[in-house]
């Protein structure tokens, strides 16, 4: 199988912008797709902000190097152009199954037959999308963690129909872009990371939404008593509140109550986490 040289990233939000930047930082050409001019404006800002983040936090990331990385990324709202010559498409659109299925339906017809498709979904199974891709043997999940430049795991999870050679090829790609690839032996919603993190975040939100304790105190207990560097609400802020909100608002009754609490007290006030300067904590200074 030819080496992956051209990558298209779909959905340049919190994670898509980081994936696009990391891939470009490692020397590959990236086409970054988002839905319209307004979304592209936000994407452009996120990518430009990442040049500063990499320069500050990534060893060896000089101003020249991050500038070259940014220059390797082409932004577009033309889906056909985005995937026309891609060796690999990494999809990072919102965590809503219907949106993902719809975009796979479209790119199944627009991308060349050789193109591998990978979903960055945190909680959905690739099996739920494979029949929309037109190439179930060349489709799998490739799941990155937020703050990809330092939390560099890449969980790789196929469906029973994924070609083992494609699986291995994506493992090699992940390593080539500076990730530590982690293969999953079979499908598991939430992979390894979110199977562990999900229950922690839900339990924390339950404590705050049920008014048992203040979010900052929940974090304090977790940090002091376990030695963890971050508490669950600090993690919520890094993830951004919209993804957990989307997940919980489609969950059981208890999850929907937590989602409503998060919406009323934080999301409706524009407090979406680090990306907006405020979430459970303020980052404005
Ligand atoms: P986000 O809301 O920040 O970004 C989603 C992007 O998709 C936005 O730029 C939006 O304009 C765009 N979009 C909306 N509808 C679209 C469509 N129909 N076609 C193409 N683009 C569309 O979300 P996010 O947090 O970056 O999450 C994206 C995916 O990555 C989800 O599947 C999520 O589970 C996964 N993920 C998120 C994190 C995280 O910490 N945020 C971590 C790992 C994986």
């Amino acid at each position: 199988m030819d080496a992956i040289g051209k990558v298209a990233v779909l959905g340049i939000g919190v994670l898509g912008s980081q994936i696009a930047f990391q891939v470009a930082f490692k020397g590959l050409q990236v086409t970054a797709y988002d839905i319209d001019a307004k979304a592209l404006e936000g994407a452009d800002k996120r990518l430009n902000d990442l040049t500063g983040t990499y320069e500050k936090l990534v060893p060896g990331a000089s101003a020249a190097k991050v500038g070259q990385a940014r220059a390797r990324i082409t932004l577009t709202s033309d889906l056909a152009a985005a995937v026309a010559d891609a060796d690999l498409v990494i999809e990072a659109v919102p965590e809503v199954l219907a949106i993902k299925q719809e975009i796979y339906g479209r790119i199944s017809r627009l991308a060349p037959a050789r193109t591998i498709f990978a979903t960055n979904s945190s909680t959905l199974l690739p099996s739920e999308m494979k029949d929309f891709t037109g190439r179930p043997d060349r489709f799998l999940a490739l799941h990155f963690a937020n703050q990809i430049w330092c939390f560099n795991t890449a969980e790789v999870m196929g469906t029973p129909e994924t070609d083992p050679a494609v699986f291995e090829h994506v493992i090699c790609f992940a390593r080539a872009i500076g990730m530590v690839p982690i293969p999953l032996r079979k499908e598991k919603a939430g992979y390894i990371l979110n199977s562990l993190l999900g229950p922690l975040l839900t339990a924390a939100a339950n404590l705050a939404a049920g008014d048992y304790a203040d979010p900052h105190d929940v974090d304090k207990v977790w940090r002091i008593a376990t030695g963890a560097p971050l508490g669950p609400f600090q993690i919520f802020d890094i993830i951004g509140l919209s993804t957990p909100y989307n997940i919980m608002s489609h969950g059981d009754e208890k999850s929907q109550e937590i989602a409503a609490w998060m919406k009323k007290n934080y999301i409706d006030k524009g407090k979406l986490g680090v990306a907006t300067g405020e979430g459970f904590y303020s980052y404005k200074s």
Side-chain angles (χ1 to χ4, degrees):
M1 228 174 277
D2 290 343
I4 290 168
K6 290 184 183 161
V7 177
V9 181
L10 312 183
I12 312 302
V14 174
L15 247 286
S17 59
Q18 295 181 19
I19 297 166
F21 200 87
Q22 178 68 21
V23 173
F25 185 66
K26 290 293 174 177
L28 279 66
Q29 290 298 328
V30 179
T31 315
Y33 165 83
D34 216 307
I35 35 173
D36 54 24
K38 190 162 179 290
L40 288 182
E41 231 173 79
D44 190 40
K45 181 178 182 315
R46 276 186 286 280
L47 292 168
N48 292 339
D49 288 349
L50 282 168
T51 60
T53 305
Y54 270 61
E55 210 182 324
K56 208 164 15 157
L57 300 178
V58 176
S62 61
K65 230 182 141 196
V66 298
Q68 285 157 7
R70 177 66 189 85
R72 280 186 210 107
I73 306 172
T74 309
L75 280 165
T76 181
S77 57
D78 179 342
L79 188 59
V83 301
D85 196 24
D87 300 314
L88 172 68
V89 171
I90 303 175
E91 167 271 304
V93 307
E95 191 70 342
V96 176
L97 184 58
I99 295 180
K100 291 189 186 284
Q101 289 175 338
E102 196 258 344
I103 203 156
Y104 282 115
R106 290 169 65 199
I107 63 171
S108 72
R109 296 184 294 274
L110 296 171
R114 71 169 202 284
T115 309
I116 296 171
F117 293 169
T119 179
N120 182 50
S121 170
S122 299
T123 58
L124 303 166
L125 294 177
S127 276
E128 296 171 279
M129 297 163 231
K130 70 174 172 53
D131 293 339
F132 296 78
T133 64
R135 62 198 72 201
D137 57 326
R138 301 181 83 72
F139 174 62
L140 41 56
L142 172 61
H143 180 244
F144 298 93
N146 201 345
Q147 301 195 353
I148 194 170
W149 57 88
C150 58
F151 301 140
N152 60 334
T153 53
E155 297 177 278
V156 183
M157 184 168 82
T159 76
E161 287 175 60
T162 307
D163 179 344
V166 168
F167 192 94
E168 266 318 301
H169 203 49
V170 171
I171 292 262
C172 292
F173 164 78
R175 201 172 285 124
I177 59 156
M179 299 293 110
V180 178
I182 310 288
L184 272 281
R185 292 191 184 131
K186 55 185 176 181
E187 281 185 285
K188 167 86 181 90
Y191 314 77
I192 298 171
L193 177 61
N194 288 323
S195 296
L196 299 170
L197 199 53
L200 172 71
L201 296 185
T202 304
N206 217 346
L207 286 167
D211 205 27
Y212 295 100
D214 179 83
H216 293 199
D217 288 330
V218 173
D219 278 3
K220 229 181 262 174
V221 169
W222 187 250
R223 285 196 310 265
I224 296 171
T226 70
L230 300 175
F233 289 100
Q234 290 172 288
I235 299 173
F236 267 125
D237 276 358
I238 292 171
I239 294 170
L241 271 54
S242 48
T243 292
Y245 172 76
N246 276 337
I247 296 166
M248 288 196 267
S249 59
H250 291 91
D252 60 18
E253 198 181 322
K254 187 82 218 159
S255 300
Q256 287 179 26
E257 274 172 38
I258 297 173
W261 167 81
M262 204 176 263
K263 183 171 185 303
K264 177 165 173 247
N265 293 287
Y266 298 92
I267 294 175
D268 284 352
K269 295 177 179 167
K271 298 179 181 181
L272 293 174
V274 177
T276 57
E278 192 167 359
F280 293 103
Y281 295 82
S282 174
Y283 304 89
K284 287 185 176 133
S285 59

